[in-house]
Amino acid sequence: MAVAIAVSRERRDGETRCAVTPETVKKLIALGATVAVEAGTGAGSSIPDADYAAAGATVAKDLKAVLAGADILLKVRGPTAQETSALKPGAVVVALLDAYRDKGTVAALAGAGVTAFAMEFVPRISRAQVMDALSSQANLAGYRAVIEAAYAFGKGFPMMMTAAGTVAPAKVFVMGAGVAGLQAVATARRLGAVVTATDVRPASKEQVESLGAKFVAVEDKEFKAAETAAGYAKPMSAEYQAKQAELTASHIVKQDIVITTALIPGRPAPRLVTAAHVASMKPGSVLVDLAIDNGGNVEGAKAGEVVTTANGAQIVGWTNMAGRIAADASALYARNLSAFVGLMVKDGALAVDLEDEILKAAAVTHRGAVVHEGVRG
C-alpha cells in the first residue's frame, strides 16, 4: 500500500506559507506516495485547491478526512493539538517545530507516539543542502527586510543626479552576515545603497566584501576563532562585546537604515542595538529586526509592530518575514520537504532509518520519547 502523505492548512496565527505546492505534489507522488491536502492550504501563497487536484492530490475540506490513516504529515509550523490527536501512533510529522522553545508541541508529539522531525535541525552538510529550510527561508527574509526598510524609509536608496541637484544614497548597515544578512547586503546594493555589514564570524568578511559592501568589526584574536564547526557564530566574551559595541555605536549614528539578523541556536537572540544606539540615529531612520521571533536584536522592538521612537526613528518588528513573501517561501520550503521525505520513502514504502545522519540529526521525538538531546535537556 502506498505511503499516505497528508498536508493540513496552517493554523498558527500569521502563517501564510504552506508545506506543499503542485510541483512538489507531483514529486511526492513520483516517490510512490498518495497526497491528501486540506482545502485552503495554499490560500496564503496564492495556490488554489484546483491546482493541487490537477497535480494529483486529493483535496478535502474535513481535517479528519485529510489526516485519517496518514503515514506522514507535512507542515510549515508545528501541528496543533487538534492535528496531533488525529494522527495514528507511529505516524511521521515533518515541520519547522521551533523545538527549543515550543516544548508543549514537542511533548504532545511524543505523547501521541509520533516520530517528529524538525526541519530547523537538518545538518548543514553538502548532502543536505537541498533540505536546508533555515537557509531557504532566511534568504527570502533577508530580501524582504530590505523591501520593508525601503517602504518605511522616506527617501530613495540610490544616488540620483538630476537637474535639480543630487540625491545622496542611503546608508545601510547589516548586522549579522549569515544567509539572511548576505541577501540583505546584496539586495540593498542592487537598490543603490552604500552598504556596510558586520559579523563575529571571520569567514563572513570575504563574503561581505565580495558583494561590494564594507566589513565593519573588531578583528582581534577572539574574532578569528569565533565560528563553530557547523558555521554558526559562537557567543563572544564580555570584553569583545564591549569593544564591538563601541565600534557599533560610532557607526550606527551615521546610518539611515540598520537591519539586524543575529541568531544563536537554542538561545534568545543577542542584543545588538541598544536604546542609546537608536536614540543616536537621525529622524526618519529605520531599523528592521529580523530576530524578533527569538526576542529581537534591537532594544525597543515589538513583535508584529512598527515602533516610532521619540527621535523619529522607526523600528520594524514584523514576525515571520519569509511569510511576507509567501509564494516564493512556500515554493522553496516545499522543495526542502520533498527532498527530506525522499530519505524516508523507498519504492512507495515508509522506511525511517534513524541511523541516516540527516534523519538522526533532525529527529525530535520517536516511540513516545523526546530523542533530541538539545531539546530533551
Side-chain angles (χ1 to χ4, degrees):
M1 190 173 178
V3 173
I5 296 176
V7 184
S8 57
R9 63 179 177 82
E10 296 301 315
R11 286 170 163 77
R12 307 274 182 157
D13 289 344
E15 186 53 73
T16 54
R17 296 169 292 178
C18 57
V20 72
T21 62
E23 174 198 354
T24 61
V25 164
K26 294 176 182 178
K27 290 182 178 180
L28 295 170
I29 291 173
L31 293 173
T34 62
V35 180
V37 177
E38 184 181 6
T41 288
S45 298
S46 303
I47 303 173
D49 292 339
D51 287 3
Y52 287 122
T58 299
V59 180
K61 292 183 179 180
D62 182 64
L63 175 63
K64 288 185 178 179
V66 172
L67 298 181
D71 298 303
I72 300 174
L73 171 62
L74 302 181
K75 298 284 296 178
V76 178
R77 310 266 302 276
T80 62
Q82 179 189 16
E83 292 168 315
T84 299
S85 63
L87 293 171
K88 65 183 182 184
V92 172
V93 171
V94 189
L96 289 165
L97 292 176
D98 193 13
Y100 286 128
R101 294 188 301 164
D102 192 355
K103 298 296 180 68
T105 295
V106 170
L109 290 167
V114 168
T115 297
F117 294 98
M119 289 299 285
E120 66 265 30
F121 291 158
V122 168
R124 283 180 163 168
I125 57 177
S126 57
R127 177 172 160 247
Q129 283 183 338
V130 69
M131 308 168 204
D132 187 353
L134 285 184
S135 291
S136 74
Q137 301 305 288
N139 189 53
L140 292 173
Y143 162 81
R144 185 69 191 195
V146 177
I147 302 304
E148 296 292 342
Y151 178 80
F153 190 49
K155 302 178 183 178
F157 266 48
M159 182 173 72
M160 302 180 195
M161 301 182 71
T162 75
T166 300
V167 175
K171 295 179 180 178
V172 177
F173 182 36
V174 179
M175 303 183 74
V179 174
L182 290 173
Q183 182 56 250
V185 168
T187 303
R189 286 281 297 148
R190 290 188 196 105
L191 290 179
V194 174
V195 184
T196 53
T198 189
D199 197 287
V200 297
R201 297 172 300 115
S204 62
K205 178 179 181 179
E206 183 178 346
Q207 294 167 331
V208 165
E209 292 176 344
S210 73
L211 294 171
K214 181 180 178 182
F215 189 73
V216 177
V218 175
E219 299 183 43
D220 59 10
K221 289 183 179 179
E222 185 175 357
F223 169 79
K224 294 177 181 178
E227 187 170 351
T228 68
Y232 292 104
K234 291 181 181 178
M236 305 299 283
S237 69
E239 182 183 1
Y240 183 89
Q241 290 180 37
K243 290 188 289 186
Q244 181 70 5
E246 183 178 350
L247 178 62
T248 297
S250 63
H251 191 67
I252 284 179
V253 70
K254 305 170 188 174
Q255 304 304 303
D256 299 306
I257 293 167
V258 175
I259 297 172
T260 66
T261 71
L263 293 169
I264 300 174
R267 300 190 182 193
R271 181 56 49 79
L272 301 182
V273 180
T274 67
H277 292 146
V278 176
S280 74
M281 298 182 73
K282 300 184 292 289
S285 301
V286 176
L287 301 98
V288 180
D289 192 339
L290 274 183
I292 194 67
D293 289 311
N294 286 67
N297 299 141
V298 180
E299 187 173 3
K302 293 185 179 180
E305 297 183 26
V306 177
V307 176
T308 301
T309 66
N311 61 312
Q314 294 183 75
I315 307 173
V316 179
W318 298 134
T319 57
N320 187 18
M321 192 67 82
R324 297 178 77 85
I325 183 169
D328 287 329
S330 295
L332 296 185
Y333 179 66
R335 291 170 194 159
N336 296 145
L337 279 181
S338 67
F340 189 88
V341 170
L343 298 176
M344 298 185 287
V345 178
K346 307 294 182 184
D347 300 321
L350 184 63
V352 180
D353 178 11
L354 290 182
E355 293 304 309
D356 180 287
E357 61 182 330
I358 298 173
L359 296 180
K360 184 176 182 180
V364 176
T365 68
H366 183 59
R367 293 180 179 173
V370 178
V371 296
H372 191 283
E373 290 186 8
V375 176
R376 187 172 59 228

